[in-house]
Amino acid sequence: MSKKDTRKAVDAYFDDKLHISDETTQAILHKNEEEGLQSIEVASAHGKMLYLMAKMSGAKTILEIGTHGGYSTVWLARALPEDGRLATFEAKQRHARVAEENIAAAGFADRVEIFEGDATKTLRVLKKRGFETFDFIFIDANKDNYPEYLEWALELSRSGTVIVADNVVRKGRIIEEDTDKKNIPHLRKFIDLLSGDDRIEATAIQTVGDKGYDGFLMAMVK
Ligand code: DHB
Ligand code: MG
């Protein structure tokens, strides 16, 4: 088996043994594909990781920047208690509509609010909508805006807020200093901002598997 095939098979092995995917999460992936959305959802193992992390942190309020078709949204919403709330931001109207259907079909329409439009413009409405700070924040939208999303995440945090960001490794390109390759300078600025900010403690995890080679940034506000 090639290395790539082995990695996919290991994902499938854990998916089966640890009962990761179920009808609801599979239906979302199916619908996203049917609607022509790019297959850039987090891997099922990582969806469950996000769910577990949110649950471990006891999150009652979750912010997600980058809804896509609502796949990670549903994983995260599953971690919420009945009176919990999740605010999710999606730039594309078509994606937001697909996500709305997926979230409703999963039974979370009452706990999840989708905000449509460029998050760098729309995040400011949160305070007006009764959201003060969040317990758990997942950043997974336009990589070029990660530096700005980090500023918002800190603005909307309290001591103990967990912040997770997807796609911080990008096949290893994150270490390329002089590249102008799409996204990388912005992702590097995001890391530099974290590096110089003593309000937050962070680490990064490289991942392989179903979705190729990438990684997560995980942090907690002091
Ligand atoms: C890609 C992957 C992601 O997880 C994402 O959030 C955006 C883009 C990609 O591989 O293109
Ligand atoms: Mg992503």
Coordinates of all heavy atoms in Angstrom, one line a residue, residues 40 140 143 166-167 170, ligand 1:
I40 N -13.8 20.3 1.4 CA -12.8 20.9 2.3 C -13.2 20.9 3.7 O -12.7 21.6 4.6 CB -12.3 22.3 1.9 CG1 -13.5 23.2 1.8 CG2 -11.5 22.2 0.6 CD1 -13.1 24.7 1.6
D140 N -11.8 28.8 10.7 CA -11.6 27.9 9.5 C -12.1 28.6 8.2 O -12.5 27.9 7.3 CB -12.3 26.6 9.8 CG -12.0 25.5 8.8 OD1 -10.9 25.6 8.1 OD2 -12.8 24.5 8.6
K143 N -8.2 32.0 4.6 CA -6.9 32.0 5.3 C -6.2 33.4 5.3 O -5.5 33.7 6.2 CB -6.0 31.0 4.7 CG -6.6 29.6 4.5 CD -7.3 29.0 5.7 CE -8.2 27.9 5.3 NZ -9.3 27.7 6.3
D166 N -7.9 25.8 11.9 CA -7.6 24.8 10.9 C -6.6 25.3 9.9 O -6.4 26.5 9.7 CB -8.9 24.4 10.2 CG -8.7 23.1 9.4 OD1 -7.8 22.3 9.7 OD2 -9.6 22.9 8.5
N167 N -5.9 24.4 9.2 CA -5.1 24.6 8.1 C -3.9 25.5 8.3 O -3.5 26.4 7.5 CB -6.0 25.3 7.0 CG -7.2 24.5 6.7 OD1 -8.3 25.0 6.9 ND2 -7.0 23.3 6.2
R170 N -0.6 23.5 5.9 CA -0.6 23.6 4.4 C 0.5 22.8 3.7 O 1.4 23.4 3.1 CB -0.6 25.0 4.0 CG -1.8 25.9 4.6 CD -3.0 25.9 3.8 NE -3.7 24.7 3.8 CZ -4.7 24.3 3.0 NH1 -5.1 25.2 2.1 NH2 -5.3 23.2 3.1
Ligands
DHB1 C1 -8.7 23.9 2.0 C2 -8.9 23.1 3.1 C3 -9.5 23.6 4.2 O1 -9.6 22.9 5.4 C4 -10.0 24.9 4.2 O2 -10.6 25.3 5.3 C5 -9.9 25.6 3.1 C6 -9.3 25.2 2.0 C7 -8.1 23.3 0.8 O3 -7.4 22.3 0.9 O4 -8.1 24.0 -0.3

